[in-house]
Structure formats: C-alpha cells, structure tokens
Amino acid sequence: MQQITNTVLMVRPANFRANPETQINNYYQSNTTDILPQTLQQKALKEFNNYVLKLESLDIQVIVVEDQETLNLPDAVFPNNWITFHENGTLAMYPMFAKNRRLERRTDILDIIESHGFVINDILDYTDAENEAVFLEGTGSMVLDRENRKAYCAISPRTNEDLFIEFCEDFEYTPVIFYANHTIKNQRKPIYHTNVMLSIAKTFAIACLEAIDDKKERKNLVKHLKNDGKAIINITEAQLASFVGNVIQLKNSKQESFLIMSTKAYNTLTAAQLSVINKHTKIEAINIDTIETYGGGSVRCMLAEIFLPRS
C-alpha cells in the first residue's frame, strides 16, 4: 500500500463563498460580508488555478473537474469530504452534515476518472446514513495511514463513531479514536474535522496534541504514530488555526515528495519545525488566503487523492 499518491482530483469552484450551513461548527470561516460575491468568486478562482499550476509544475497529475454552476454550491472546491479512491479499485461516497453540500456528490465524476485510465471495481455508498443524521465526511473526518492500515478519527458532529468503525471494517483499517477540541470564546469546542489537527505523511506526522484533552487518548495517538516509525511534529492551537495541520504530502513520477501547505500555514512554522520537515520532504507553499478565510478549509481539503489501479 502507498501512503502518498501522484494523482489528485480537484473541483474548480463556480460559486465559492462562505457557507452558512457549515459555519455552525466550522469556526475557521469568516462570515463577514465586506466583499462582493463576484469578487470573492474571482479571488477564489485565481487561487484555485494557481494551486493547479503549482502541482502540475511539480509533475503531479491533477484531474480538474468543473463545478456545476447552476447548483450554486459554496463548498464544491472541497471534494475530499464526499469521495475517496482506494488501491483495491474501490471508491467510497460519504454522508455530509450540511444539506447543501450533499449536491456536490456526482456520479459523472466517476466517468471522468475512468477516462483518465483508472479502474473502479466497486462503490461503497454510506450516504443513506444522512437519513439518520449520521455523518462521516471522508478524509476530513478520517486521516488514513494507508501503509500501516490505521485510520485516525476525532469524533465530532460531522464524524460518527459507529459509521467510522463500519468504514474501518469494510476497508480493513485499525481505528484510532479520540476527541479533539479547540478554545472558542473561552469554551472547548469539538474540532469539526480530524484533518485540521492531524496530517500523516510517509515518515512523519503533524499533530496538534494539545487539542486532545484526554491524556490517555493523547498518549494512545502518540504511541500509534511512534510505533509506526513516524516522527511527530507537534503544533500549537494557534498554528492549527492557521491550517498547519491541514497539509498533504504528494509525490511525482520521479518519486520526489512534497509537503503541500498554504502560505498562511508556512508563515507560522518555527525554524525547528521547518528543519524537521525538510529532513523528510520538500515544502511547497501556496497562497489560498481567500479560500481559507471564507471556506474554512485549506490545501488538504481541496484534494481528493486517487489511489485507484490503472487499466
């Protein structure tokens, strides 16, 4: 099994804006209306296109799909929450917390993926869980260590424990479960997605350990990562809010690896943290300030990794 891929799916936004349905529990979104909708969309589109160009310049394959403009979807730029692609040829589709995000799921994208030479053998569809108000938002809710067959999960309103365990049984992952919180107006609130506070690369992990209030759960997370040979780069809650945890390692056809992060995240890293990361991989930073500010997600959320076999 591979931990990192050289091919990703991205969805070019047509109606990007802050989503009021996700602001309920995503405290990183700005809800200010000091910018015209068309200006916001133009800025987000420019950031998206620059992100694609950056990845392509690194020899990483990007399959870009156009958003469906008539559906007026604010978060279409974050496809990792509704679909994942796996090495055994299986893809999974996930139940989403926000009703207006459920329209992002598109079967025509499967045809596009196959047209690029990938094989889809099976589809696991968990979306019926929405009828029970049960959610599991893809690789937002779960951070996968594919090589060591472990899935890390912070329980939240968007991440149901029972459904997560069902996923682990279906895909043969060992579940590592915990609760992760951050301080909002002097109150500890659940972090909406695991991938905001944890990222697992090939030989290291970035984690906000102070987000895990329960000491036993924190020790258990550290134990699993260390047992699998991962160097741990511990980040602060302030760095978490700058999306240092929402990063992703990718590779190119020459097997060169890159840790992709936003410039906002990069600018908050300490010299010591940078030194550790640079021992493991190259760093590439991309400016997506608008998407981070109004979407409440960063570079990792904008990619659905493709691990499917090729025909």
Side-chain angles (χ1 to χ4, degrees):
M1 292 290 178
Q2 302 177 76
Q3 178 59 19
I4 58 177
T5 184
N6 62 0
T7 310
V8 295
L9 168 72
M10 296 181 70
V11 179
R12 183 178 280 118
N15 292 284
F16 177 82
R17 64 189 184 281
N19 184 354
E21 291 189 26
T22 57
Q23 285 174 341
I24 297 166
N25 48 37
N26 180 346
Y27 301 100
Y28 303 114
Q29 285 178 258
S30 170
N31 58 4
T32 58
T33 54
D34 57 353
I35 183 169
L36 291 170
Q38 59 265 39
T39 305
L40 190 58
Q41 164 61 19
Q42 287 169 358
K43 284 175 173 278
L45 189 60
K46 183 178 180 181
E47 291 174 1
F48 177 92
N49 290 335
N50 286 340
Y51 189 0
V52 173
L53 289 172
K54 168 64 80 172
L55 293 179
E56 290 178 339
S57 75
L58 300 173
D59 185 32
I60 294 164
Q61 183 181 2
V62 185
I63 299 174
V64 178
V65 174
E66 301 299 327
D67 181 16
Q68 294 175 304
E69 189 167 0
T70 55
L71 292 181
N72 197 22
L73 303 173
D75 284 328
V77 74
F78 302 130
N80 80 307
N81 297 138
W82 68 265
I83 195 164
T84 56
F85 305 94
H86 301 265
E87 273 191 75
N88 64 357
T90 301
L91 68 83
M93 300 178 76
Y94 298 94
M96 311 270 278
F97 173 84
K99 289 181 180 178
N100 65 0
R101 293 209 62 193
R102 299 170 192 176
L103 296 171
E104 295 171 28
R105 296 190 296 252
R106 296 164 50 184
T107 55
D108 66 304
I109 286 181
L110 312 189
D111 297 327
I112 294 169
I113 297 296
E114 287 182 317
S115 74
H116 282 80
F118 292 97
V119 176
I120 297 172
N121 295 322
D122 195 14
I123 299 173
L124 284 182
D125 188 341
Y126 299 104
T127 59
D128 280 351
E130 287 167 352
N131 299 326
E132 309 297 325
V134 167
F135 312 110
L136 185 70
E137 297 193 335
T139 49
S141 292
M142 307 176 289
V143 175
L144 303 180
D145 184 341
R146 293 174 176 84
E147 286 183 324
N148 295 295
R149 307 309 294 168
K150 291 180 183 176
Y152 293 80
C153 177
I155 304 304
S156 79
R158 302 199 198 181
T159 304
N160 176 269
E161 182 172 349
D162 290 338
L163 190 55
F164 169 63
I165 290 171
E166 183 180 334
F167 166 89
C168 289
E169 290 172 349
D170 289 340
F171 284 91
E172 299 182 340
Y173 279 91
T174 298
V176 182
I177 299 169
F178 51 91
Y179 288 82
N181 299 296
H182 50 171
T183 302
I184 306 295
K185 295 180 181 177
N186 296 319
Q187 286 187 312
R188 294 297 272 173
K189 301 268 191 181
I191 293 172
Y192 78 106
H193 275 159
T194 313
N195 76 356
V196 176
M197 54 76 60
L198 177 66
S199 176
I200 296 179
K202 192 168 177 61
T203 55
F204 65 96
I206 294 175
C208 182
L209 297 178
E210 68 184 65
I212 305 175
D213 296 333
D214 186 287
K215 290 181 180 178
K216 286 183 180 177
E217 291 181 354
R218 192 186 313 152
K219 280 185 176 179
N220 187 50
L221 174 72
V222 169
K223 181 189 77 174
H224 277 282
L225 293 172
K226 285 188 173 178
N227 285 351
D228 294 328
K230 306 287 187 190
I232 301 174
I233 297 150
N234 189 17
I235 61 173
T236 65
E237 198 170 308
Q239 289 178 312
L240 178 148
S242 294
F243 297 104
V244 179
N246 196 250
V247 299
I248 186 167
Q249 190 182 33
L250 300 171
K251 65 181 179 181
N252 62 18
S253 59
K254 300 172 186 170
Q255 302 300 308
E256 297 171 308
S257 71
F258 307 91
L259 189 67
I260 311 298
M261 65 178 61
S262 70
T263 51
K264 182 178 182 178
Y266 181 84
N267 290 335
T268 66
L269 287 168
T270 66
Q273 289 168 331
L274 283 167
S275 175
V276 175
I277 295 170
N278 281 318
K279 289 175 184 173
H280 293 268
T281 190
K282 298 173 184 174
I283 299 174
E284 293 289 342
I286 298 153
N287 185 334
I288 54 162
D289 284 353
T290 304
I291 292 172
E292 286 179 322
T293 300
Y294 294 93
S298 190
V299 295
R300 196 275 165 266
C301 297
M302 294 171 67
L303 306 178
E305 304 141 282
I306 298 174
F307 288 92
L308 296 168
R310 292 182 182 267
S311 56

